[in-house]
Amino acid sequence: MLTSTISTFMASHHKECDEQFARAEQLISENNWDLGVEQWNQFAAELEKHFSREEDILFPEFESKTGMTGGPTQMMRMEHEQMRALVNEANKAANSKDKDQFLALTETLMVTMQQHNMKEEQILYPMTDQSLPNAVEIVERMNQN
Amino acid sequence: MNTKGLSLNTIPPILIPLRFFLTAPIFGLLAASFILFYGSELWGSRWLPGTLALTHLLTLGFMLMVMIGALYQFIPVMIGQFIPGNKAYIFTIHLGLTLGTLFLATGFVTYLDVFYWLALAFLSLSVSLFALSIISLVITKFEGQLIIFMIRILSFVLIVTIFLGLMMLLAYAYPESGIIYRQYTDIHALWGLIGWVVLLIIAVSSQVIPMFFVTPEFSVRSLKTLSVFILFTLIVISLTSIYSIGFANWIKELIYLALSFELVFFAVYILRLVHLRKRKIPDTTINFFRLSLFSMLFVILTWWVFHLWPNTETLHYKTQFDFVWGVFLIYGLAVSAIIGMLQKIVPFLIYLNLQNLSFKHPESMSYEPKLVFNMKQIISMKQSQIQFKLHTSSLLLLVFSIFWSQLVVLAGFFMLLNYVWLTFVLYKSFYLFKKNKKAILQFPEMKMDFGL
């Protein structure tokens, strides 16, 4: 269905990231550092892929179509930076095998990520689906990214 | 979906929810002191003034207080719009609820009419303002979303509960009015504890559990149907008891039985989803949440024993079990879920506000040690675990003290400890926030525009 193209595609990518996150966190909480860090790196790469799909493709399209450059997308970019900062800190904790610090940061990241996702899924993605007539093509480009 | 007028900048000023969260545990302290002061006298009859005061210190002073604060935080994130009302408006709601609850408890223990009148004025003002602002938010827009559907039902349930409560309060304040209030007591409690608490837990958990614990999604259709069934059952129960409709007793029991099955369905449904979660790391909020649902299941199971297989041996314990059910529904179902939620919502609020502030003062980000706390630096895992142990032991002791009155002082003491710990943890969190906010503000500000 055309009206939910971007919403469906992006929301299902959120779910994928969540699942990778949960696996990494679980492994590290069981002190399985080798597999845990590997899984964590995969999650971090997937999360970064998600951010760049938005920052490089989706947001610029939305901004140029609607003229809204200082509003919602800027807010989302700022939240991406918040999450990047947490991922960086968690990387450091993972490298020094500091489990408590790692889990404290992932807990914070999880809540930040979820309230961010909720805003995107409830508001921003439906807005992009409504305002971008070339949604199918945009999804195609994001998928190849 | 009409996204016009929705905003992604949905963080309310931190002092709005915190004001409610920091007031609530003080009422918990008061409630625990009541138990220590009155002792096992409280379990004599549910109509005793001390017992009524205790109940309302917990339900209004603690439960409703936190719930209102949390809704100011949740609703904007969930639906992209703030609950209408400026600072003065929200301050009035908070002050009205605080003073109204204090006056109500004072009225119950002093029997002075003036306190009932004051309670009536402050509580009706506070809750009407809150209900009005929520209703204005959901009355016209947002088709289809589960959360809007739930907020609509919740607003209705809150209004019925409060209306019944205020009517009984009027009967206390003005006995000449001739209102016969006792028949409304059970209905008021049913709407408050089953209607408001259970439906609120359904609404909030359907949004946050799949997200934070990576579980399968809730079925929107099941939850909508369940909520409508619960609401319908409450209406039927209320009408049949208020108008003494001449149903045979077995029909009335059948309606209650239907309600109990709806609640069992809800508890089992959520417990199953929680069990299926992919994020299985130890989490105290999950423990609180399970305790909350098991408390309700225990109430239903024992209720079945009394109502389906009544015999003289079990009926002998009926008065005690009225209290057991009350304790499990208020302190078990509602207070457990609330304390569990506070373990997450308060650290997150503080983290989020410090983080946003540090973006406005970017040079603060390179300062070591970091000025933006992570959530566990605000409330640690260990602190939450201590809270859970204190809460569970005080819950069990309270229940045991109904049967063995010599335990009541110990129960009150543990409840006091539970709330002392909660007060300490929440005020310490607030102190940490103030301290680092001040530190971040020392750095120069950069202008940003997040309009919309």
Side-chain angles (χ1 to χ4, degrees):
Chain A
M1 201 168 73
L2 186 69
T3 49
S4 63
T5 315
I6 294 171
S7 299
T8 317
F9 176 73
M10 295 305 270
S12 85
H13 196 214
H14 281 164
K15 286 264 166 302
E16 249 176 75
C17 291
D18 290 348
E19 290 181 12
Q20 290 196 342
F21 170 94
R23 276 198 293 275
E25 199 184 31
Q26 175 84 37
L27 287 164
I28 288 183
S29 77
E30 291 162 358
N31 288 316
N32 190 343
W33 287 96
D34 292 341
L35 267 181
V37 170
E38 191 186 315
Q39 183 65 54
W40 173 255
N41 290 336
Q42 277 178 29
F43 157 75
E46 204 61 38
L47 185 72
E48 194 46 54
K49 183 159 104 187
H50 188 84
F51 290 165
S52 72
R53 279 174 174 174
E54 292 180 341
E55 291 170 2
D56 301 341
I57 301 170
L58 184 63
F59 293 173
E61 285 279 351
F62 177 77
E63 286 159 357
S64 71
K65 197 82 198 167
T66 60
M68 289 201 267
T69 51
T73 47
Q74 203 51 32
M75 185 81 204
M76 294 297 99
R77 282 191 169 94
M78 187 187 86
E79 292 186 2
H80 290 171
E81 287 311 313
Q82 284 176 354
M83 288 182 270
R84 284 186 174 111
L86 286 167
V87 170
N88 275 337
E89 295 264 317
N91 287 343
K92 281 186 218 156
N95 290 334
S96 52
K97 298 199 176 174
D98 182 344
K99 187 167 101 175
D100 287 347
Q101 171 74 354
F102 179 83
L103 293 177
L105 290 159
T106 50
E107 170 76 1
T108 313
L109 176 62
M110 187 61 175
V111 184
T112 312
M113 207 155 70
Q114 294 308 330
Q115 66 104 35
H116 174 80
N117 291 356
M118 189 176 235
K119 291 184 202 172
E120 289 189 335
E121 289 173 24
Q122 305 272 10
I123 302 161
L124 187 68
Y125 297 155
M127 272 171 136
T128 58
D129 271 319
Q130 268 176 359
S131 54
L132 299 173
N134 55 339
V136 176
E137 181 247 332
I138 291 172
V139 168
E140 196 51 42
R141 264 165 56 210
M142 289 196 289
N143 205 10
Q144 282 162 9
N145 181 7
Chain B
M1 178 185 168
N2 181 13
T3 49
K4 231 175 143 187
L6 301 186
S7 167
L8 299 181
N9 192 1
T10 49
I11 312 165
I14 189 166
L15 283 179
I16 290 179
L18 273 191
R19 184 192 310 280
F20 291 92
F21 297 161
L22 292 174
T23 312
I26 308 293
F27 280 100
L29 291 173
L30 274 176
S33 314
F34 251 72
I35 294 185
L36 286 172
F37 183 75
Y38 281 94
S40 57
E41 217 181 278
L42 289 169
W43 308 142
S45 151
R46 47 193 289 218
W47 306 104
L48 288 174
T51 314
L52 288 169
L54 171 69
T55 308
H56 290 86
L57 285 173
L58 282 175
T59 50
L60 292 174
F62 186 72
M63 273 165 51
L64 190 61
M65 187 72 76
V66 177
M67 285 165 168
I68 291 182
L71 287 172
Y72 273 101
Q73 172 70 22
F74 278 136
I75 286 182
V77 179
M78 289 195 226
I79 69 174
Q81 264 193 334
F82 286 109
I83 299 177
N86 59 18
K87 274 187 187 168
Y89 189 92
I90 299 167
F91 180 71
T92 313
I93 293 175
H94 172 258
L95 192 71
L97 185 58
T98 306
L99 293 178
T101 308
L102 287 174
F103 288 134
L104 182 64
T106 317
F108 281 135
V109 292
T110 60
Y111 296 103
L112 290 174
D113 286 356
V114 60
F115 289 112
Y116 290 130
W117 282 114
L118 284 167
L120 190 64
F122 280 99
L123 288 175
S124 50
L125 173 75
S126 164
V127 183
S128 320
L129 287 180
F130 180 67
L132 270 178
S133 57
I134 292 278
I135 292 168
S136 69
L137 191 66
V138 291
I139 202 149
T140 50
K141 35 187 141 8
F142 313 114
E143 60 293 341
Q145 268 178 288
L146 175 66
I147 189 66
I148 299 292
F149 180 84
M150 292 301 299
I151 297 173
R152 283 185 183 150
I153 292 192
L154 278 166
S155 313
F156 177 71
V157 172
L158 182 65
I159 288 170
V160 173
T161 312
I162 294 299
F163 176 76
L164 290 170
L166 292 176
M167 198 171 66
M168 288 187 281
L169 188 48
L170 185 66
Y172 271 96
Y174 185 55
E176 295 78 9
S177 65
I179 300 174
I180 304 157
Y181 57 88
R182 284 202 175 188
Q183 62 165 333
Y184 296 110
T185 314
D186 282 344
I187 309 170
H188 167 68
L190 199 65
W191 281 84
L193 293 177
I194 300 301
W196 172 253
V197 172
V198 169
L199 291 169
L200 189 63
I201 293 181
I202 294 181
V204 174
S205 57
S206 69
Q207 304 293 309
V208 300
I209 289 188
M211 293 195 316
F212 294 149
F213 300 103
V214 195
T215 72
E217 286 292 332
F218 281 55
S219 150
V220 173
R221 190 199 268 180
S222 305
L223 288 189
K224 278 189 177 174
T225 314
L226 177 66
S227 311
V228 171
F229 271 145
I230 292 179
L231 184 67
F232 178 72
T233 319
L234 290 181
I235 293 174
V236 174
I237 290 175
S238 311
L239 291 180
T240 50
S241 41
I242 292 174
Y243 295 106
S244 314
I245 295 172
F247 283 152
N249 245 354
W250 68 269
I251 297 186
K252 287 189 183 168
E253 292 284 300
L254 209 62
I255 302 168
Y256 273 101
L257 198 63
L259 179 64
S260 71
F261 277 114
E262 288 155 10
L263 299 177
V264 169
F265 173 82
F266 148 72
V268 173
Y269 185 90
I270 296 194
L271 285 168
R272 193 181 140 268
L273 279 191
V274 167
H275 181 70
L276 291 175
R277 74 193 185 282
K278 291 190 172 145
R279 192 171 182 233
K280 281 198 189 291
I281 57 156
D283 188 288
T284 322
T285 298
I286 286 277
N287 294 341
F288 272 110
F289 197 61
R290 283 193 171 131
L291 179 64
S292 162
L293 293 175
F294 280 120
S295 298
M296 188 181 76
L297 285 175
F298 181 83
V299 171
I300 294 168
L301 281 176
T302 46
W303 184 88
W304 281 345
V305 172
F306 276 100
H307 286 258
L308 302 180
W309 302 281
N311 61 49
T312 40
E313 211 171 304
T314 48
L315 286 178
H316 181 65
Y317 292 105
K318 179 69 173 58
T319 319
Q320 273 117 323
F321 266 87
D322 275 340
F323 279 106
V324 171
W325 295 332
V327 168
F328 268 120
L329 288 178
I330 295 172
Y331 200 67
L333 171 71
V335 174
S336 306
I338 289 172
I339 298 183
M341 182 204 68
L342 286 172
Q343 306 300 307
K344 284 211 190 299
I345 192 170
V346 169
F348 179 65
L349 265 179
I350 291 176
Y351 155 77
L352 192 63
N353 275 272
L354 288 178
Q355 179 65 274
N356 285 347
L357 198 65
S358 79
F359 273 109
K360 285 186 196 152
H361 301 262
E363 287 172 35
S364 70
M365 286 191 271
S366 44
Y367 187 83
E368 291 287 342
K370 294 243 172 296
L371 292 171
V372 179
F373 294 114
N374 68 50
M375 285 167 61
K376 296 286 179 200
Q377 285 170 304
I378 299 161
I379 299 180
S380 71
M381 183 76 163
K382 197 158 181 202
Q383 286 173 327
S384 295
Q385 282 165 346
I386 293 174
Q387 190 81 66
F388 183 69
K389 284 177 191 155
L390 288 173
H391 181 68
T392 312
S393 32
S394 55
L395 172 64
L396 294 176
L397 280 168
L398 277 175
V399 172
F400 291 147
S401 77
I402 296 167
F403 299 95
W404 295 283
S405 57
Q406 60 273 35
L407 285 177
V408 79
V409 175
L410 194 65
F413 179 70
F414 266 80
M415 185 176 167
L416 188 68
L417 278 184
N418 187 29
Y419 278 111
V420 166
W421 188 250
L422 184 66
T423 310
F424 162 72
V425 165
L426 295 181
Y427 278 81
K428 196 202 79 182
S429 306
F430 184 53
Y431 163 77
L432 289 174
F433 167 72
K434 295 275 276 188
K435 188 174 78 132
N436 278 22
K437 179 185 171 189
K438 202 172 153 196
I440 293 173
L441 287 175
Q442 305 292 319
F443 294 89
E445 187 180 349
M446 192 180 78
K447 282 268 168 264
M448 289 196 295
D449 170 24
F450 291 124
L452 186 77

